[in-house]
Amino acid sequence: MKIQMVDLKSQYEKIKEEVNAGIQDCLDNTAFINGPAVKEFQQDFEKYLDVKHVIPCANGTDALQIAMMALGLKPGDEIICPAFTYVATAEVIGLLGLKPVMVDVDENTFDIELNGLEKYLTPNTKAIVPVHLYGQSADMEKILEFAEKHHLFVIEDNAQAIGSDYTFSDGTVKKTGTIGHIGCTSFFPSKNLGCYGDGGALITNDDDLAVKIRMIANHGQAKKYYHKVLGCNSRLDTLQAAVLKVKLKYLDEYSAARNKMAAYYDENLAGISGIQVPERAKNSTHVFHQYTLRVKDGKRDELQKYLGEKNIPSMIYYPLPLYKQEAFRQYVEEGFELPVTEKLCSEVISLPVHTEFNQDASDYIIFEIKNFFNQ
């Protein structure tokens, strides 16, 4: 059997008529830039998230960059972010002349570790970027308390957790991406809500920030040919908005399917000595953008090689801490290490998980993992 990390083709086949109709409508009206589907998707997404403003843009990396520009961050300002994440989180910080201050993560939830975070603060610290890694929320209540105490902006990197719910201690429930000053997300095809190319969005409940974000994403103009600030050109194509408008209707269904597959993995892998199945945070739902195991005793790479020989795909997110990437060495002192990040980079491995649950494929994956560990 052919096993894929993400089965986009089978997913497409189920919504083919709706997607094709949306694309054909774009072709028929030839409104390829800022066409009706962009506004319609924006409004649908605002309703789904229960948020005042969604500003679509070209991709998730642009969303992070525009967010930092809108908050008025200046060269030399320091931004706290996890070291165990995709490069884009810290990349845009460096590109804007800001300084990424990389911190450790919790070894069970993989999200930013708040204990001891004060030691990273300086007079130049201006913002914190929690990443909702693999599909569940960082501890946003504590992050907001920390940020308020130290007068920091909160920019949520929500590229992997669209649709996840975070519950505050008073029972209030909010979607990830809607909790901080600005939320940023990606619609890369493999994301839980993915288009058929590049796409992204910024999310905020702040009216003034929304105005700034829209201007920056549109060459710094509120009125055509009148440019108030230096901006960029970052917009969501109408064709991609048409795809997202359809797929948004099925997002909760997709999350449920991913959870079903994750629960099946849990049930059959939890008892294997030498691996740890993903932990669920008590105050967050999980949408399983990735199903990520931890493999102990230095056997991760050996397991990946074995699975590959059995035609089972897997991925390592992420094999190297950001501070060990050549591009970021200028931001850390020689010998700088974060113990949990180091450990996770040598232990994590992600298995196929997607919306098209196939028990035969899952059983085969589970069988071969058990066989590897001789259980």
Side-chain angles (χ1 to χ4, degrees):
M1 67 181 73
K2 183 173 177 57
I3 300 174
Q4 301 177 75
M5 285 295 293
V6 181
D7 188 357
L8 294 178
K9 184 174 182 180
S10 295
Q11 184 190 75
Y12 164 67
E13 290 293 339
K14 291 183 177 180
I15 56 174
K16 184 175 182 177
E17 290 186 9
E18 292 177 88
V19 169
N20 287 2
I23 292 174
Q24 188 61 54
D25 184 62
C26 293
L27 297 175
D28 289 342
N29 64 39
T30 66
F32 301 121
I33 301 295
N34 291 326
V38 177
K39 184 70 171 179
E40 291 165 2
F41 167 68
Q42 172 194 319
Q43 292 172 338
D44 290 349
F45 202 28
E46 287 170 345
K47 183 177 180 181
Y48 174 83
L49 294 171
D50 191 23
V51 71
K52 291 176 72 174
H53 303 284
V54 166
I55 302 98
C57 65
N59 55 70
T61 305
D62 276 8
L64 288 164
Q65 179 174 321
I66 292 166
M68 294 177 194
M69 293 170 70
L71 291 169
L73 299 173
K74 305 296 185 185
D77 287 347
E78 297 177 4
I79 316 299
I80 294 172
C81 66
F84 188 66
T85 183
Y86 184 59
V87 65
T89 309
E91 181 180 38
V92 297
I93 298 172
L95 282 172
L96 292 172
L98 314 171
K99 180 182 178 181
V101 177
M102 302 175 198
V103 301
D104 221 341
V105 296
D106 181 272
E107 65 178 317
N108 295 311
T109 65
F110 311 120
D111 289 319
I112 195 166
E113 175 59 65
L114 295 172
N115 292 329
L117 209 55
E118 283 82 2
K119 67 184 178 183
Y120 295 98
L121 293 171
T122 77
N124 295 323
T125 309
K126 303 299 182 185
I128 183 170
V129 185
V131 179
H132 305 312
L133 201 67
Y134 298 151
Q136 65 183 342
S137 181
D139 195 342
M140 288 305 297
E141 186 164 10
K142 290 183 179 178
I143 288 170
L144 292 181
E145 290 171 358
F146 176 84
E148 184 175 359
K149 179 179 178 181
H150 299 289
H151 310 290
L152 305 179
F153 294 117
V154 178
I155 304 166
E156 293 177 76
D157 185 336
N158 195 39
Q160 299 187 18
I162 295 177
S164 178
D165 291 325
Y166 179 83
T167 303
F168 288 81
S169 57
D170 65 359
T172 301
V173 179
K174 292 187 177 182
K175 293 288 186 187
T176 53
T178 71
I179 303 168
H181 293 90
I182 303 176
C184 302
T185 198
S186 165
F187 301 129
F188 188 79
S190 63
K191 294 293 192 286
N192 292 38
L193 178 60
C195 54
Y196 293 163
D198 272 318
L202 297 99
I203 301 154
T204 187
N205 280 301
D206 187 307
D207 295 339
D208 292 335
L209 274 178
V211 170
K212 291 178 183 177
I213 290 167
R214 288 192 180 95
M215 279 199 303
I216 291 168
N218 187 27
H219 295 290
Q221 62 185 350
K223 180 181 178 182
K224 196 165 186 177
Y225 302 128
Y226 292 85
H227 307 271
K228 288 191 173 184
V229 296
L230 291 177
C232 58
N233 178 25
S234 186
R235 55 198 172 206
L236 181 67
D237 287 344
T238 307
L239 287 166
Q240 302 302 339
V243 173
L244 290 166
K245 188 173 182 293
V246 173
K247 293 183 74 174
L248 178 59
K249 295 188 295 183
Y250 300 98
L251 180 56
D252 288 342
E253 182 181 316
Y254 292 161
S255 296
R258 288 173 176 269
N259 268 272
K260 180 180 178 181
M261 195 169 185
Y264 194 73
Y265 278 141
D266 281 355
E267 180 183 352
N268 290 278
L269 298 176
I272 298 176
S273 177
I275 65 174
Q276 180 178 319
V277 299
E279 180 173 308
R280 274 66 156 177
K282 294 179 180 179
N283 48 7
S284 174
T285 60
H286 208 314
V287 295
F288 284 100
H289 175 61
Q290 302 296 341
Y291 182 90
T292 303
L293 300 172
R294 291 176 59 193
V295 183
K296 307 300 180 62
D297 304 320
K299 294 184 177 180
R300 191 270 310 276
D301 292 347
E302 188 180 345
L303 172 61
Q304 186 177 45
K305 182 174 182 289
Y306 175 83
L307 293 176
E309 291 169 350
K310 303 298 180 180
N311 296 315
I312 297 171
S314 62
M315 292 293 292
I316 296 171
Y317 307 107
Y318 300 93
L320 193 67
L322 286 182
Y323 53 81
K324 286 190 173 179
Q325 301 281 357
E326 187 173 351
F328 295 104
R329 286 179 184 167
Q330 61 183 303
Y331 301 109
V332 295
E333 296 179 1
E334 191 168 346
F336 177 82
E337 286 189 355
L338 298 170
V340 175
T341 294
E342 295 279 340
K343 181 189 294 186
L344 293 178
C345 285
S346 68
E347 291 184 350
V348 295
I349 185 169
S350 297
L351 302 179
V353 61
H354 45 74
T355 59
E356 311 310 305
F357 178 74
N358 182 316
Q359 187 164 325
D360 288 341
S362 299
D363 285 340
Y364 176 63
I365 295 168
I366 291 162
F367 172 81
E368 292 298 350
I369 292 175
K370 287 182 174 180
N371 192 51
F372 175 82
F373 288 100
N374 296 316
Q375 293 193 25

